[in-house]
Amino acid sequence: MSGIVAGKIALVTGAGSGIGRAACLVLAREGANIIAADQCGLAAQETHRYGVGGKKHICLSVDVSMSESVNMAMSDIIDNYTVPPSIIVNSAGITRDNFLLKMDERMFQKVLDVNLKGTFLVVQAAAKAMIEAKITRGSIVNVASIVGRTGNIGQCNYSASKAGVEAFTKTVAKEFGPFDIRCNAVVPGFIKSPMTDAVPEKVIQKILPHVAMGRMGRPQEVAEVIAFLSSERSSYVNGACVEVTGG
């Protein structure tokens, strides 16, 4: 078996579409055993059929905002593989956009529950399992967003959640580095995905001139960086937040 993550077990949340699905496909190409996890079980199954099918790969329905769901998923993974995953990709994320004065508390809280709290719950469960199993050379990759640095009109909840993911990533790197478990983040820019498909064309045309490469990114272009951060090729990269924005 060849590939930069050959033989490793990788849990990818938000695996049903976009960057999460692309991460599953790239990590599978590079030899990993994939657990495709998504709140929408059918979407996870579609990813499984789309390009990571086979006995070594499984799909799970997981609500990352609920600790019971996350812990049950981790137990199911260990039952299936006998060991916990050594690669964790936190790609689960949602938007609930509106202007701040029109945003209700539920919209704000739901985005934080999935994007930030969900990342926390998955990392907590996975790191605990890795340490108990004495797994070394573990790698956690969180998906942040450039709007967590720049802010964005109508996305006070999303931008706050993604800024939190970056700060959280740096803290995880400090706490688990001594256990040989690294934690990094990718910071995507404007990526073509179901999330951006809802953006009106006139808004897209206003954004593109500010991208040096003059186009939207592809999910696979983010996934390739995720695969690098998941592998031993980045063995001394820890606590980094890598922009994938086209400039």
Side-chain angles (χ1 to χ4, degrees), residues 1-12 22-35 52 56-57 81 85-89 136-141 182 223-235:
M1 183 183 294
S2 61
I4 61 175
V5 289
K8 291 184 175 291
I9 300 169
L11 168 63
V12 181
C24 288
L25 301 181
V26 171
L27 289 169
R29 183 198 71 198
E30 294 298 330
N33 303 319
I34 305 299
I35 301 112
V52 295
K56 67 178 183 177
H57 307 304
Y81 292 103
S86 61
I87 295 172
I88 307 295
V89 179
T136 57
R137 299 181 180 179
S139 177
I140 299 166
V141 184
R182 298 180 295 114
E224 298 288 356
V225 180
I226 290 172
F228 168 71
L229 292 173
S230 300
S231 76
E232 284 302 298
R233 292 186 181 180
S234 60
S235 58

Side-chain angles (χ1 to χ4, degrees), residues 43 53 64 70-71 100 107 131 165 173-175 181 201 241:
V64 298
V70 171
N71 292 332
L100 191 149
M107 293 171 67
I131 291 169
V165 166
K174 291 179 183 293
E175 290 196 13
I181 299 170
E201 181 63 26
C241 298

Side-chain angles (χ1 to χ4, degrees), residues 124-140:
Q124 185 181 59
K128 181 180 178 181
M130 277 192 259
I131 291 169
E132 288 179 351
K134 295 182 169 56
I135 298 286
T136 57
R137 299 181 180 179
S139 177
I140 299 166

Side-chain angles (χ1 to χ4, degrees), residues 153-165:
I153 292 172
Q155 290 193 309
C156 65
N157 48 3
Y158 185 78
S159 58
S161 72
K162 292 302 187 176
V165 166

Side-chain angles (χ1 to χ4, degrees), residues 20-205:
R21 174 172 288 177
C24 288
L25 301 181
V26 171
L27 289 169
R29 183 198 71 198
E30 294 298 330
N33 303 319
I34 305 299
I35 301 112
D38 199 281
Q39 184 175 14
C40 177
L42 291 176
Q45 290 173 20
E46 187 178 343
T47 295
H48 189 262
R49 289 193 300 269
Y50 184 69
V52 295
K55 292 182 179 179
K56 67 178 183 177
H57 307 304
I58 63 173
C59 52
L60 295 173
S61 176
V62 182
D63 181 349
V64 298
S65 70
M66 302 293 292
S67 59
E68 298 86 352
S69 181
V70 171
N71 292 332
M72 184 179 297
M74 192 59 59
S75 296
D76 289 344
I77 293 166
I78 294 171
D79 287 345
N80 189 81
Y81 292 103
T82 71
V83 292
S86 61
I87 295 172
I88 307 295
V89 179
N90 282 300
S91 185
I94 63 169
T95 56
R96 295 289 187 273
D97 296 349
N98 211 334
F99 294 116
L100 191 149
L101 293 180
K102 295 182 178 180
M103 183 173 293
D104 63 42
E105 185 178 347
R106 289 174 298 175
M107 293 171 67
F108 189 89
Q109 190 63 53
K110 183 62 177 176
V111 169
L112 264 68
D113 283 347
V114 174
N115 298 3
L116 184 55
K117 177 187 170 187
T119 299
F120 155 72
L121 290 174
V122 173
V123 169
Q124 185 181 59
K128 181 180 178 181
M130 277 192 259
I131 291 169
E132 288 179 351
K134 295 182 169 56
I135 298 286
T136 57
R137 299 181 180 179
S139 177
I140 299 166
V141 184
N142 299 323
V143 178
S145 170
I146 195 63
V147 302
R149 298 182 175 185
T150 64
N152 197 31
I153 292 172
Q155 290 193 309
C156 65
N157 48 3
Y158 185 78
S159 58
S161 72
K162 292 302 187 176
V165 166
E166 285 203 53
F168 175 76
T169 295
K170 294 173 183 179
T171 299
V172 173
K174 291 179 183 293
E175 290 196 13
F176 295 122
F179 296 97
D180 199 15
I181 299 170
R182 298 180 295 114
C183 185
N184 297 287
V186 289
V187 185
F190 205 48
I191 308 298
K192 179 70 175 174
S193 70
M195 192 175 287
T196 57
D197 286 345
V199 178
E201 181 63 26
K202 63 180 181 180
V203 175
I204 292 175
Q205 293 308 316

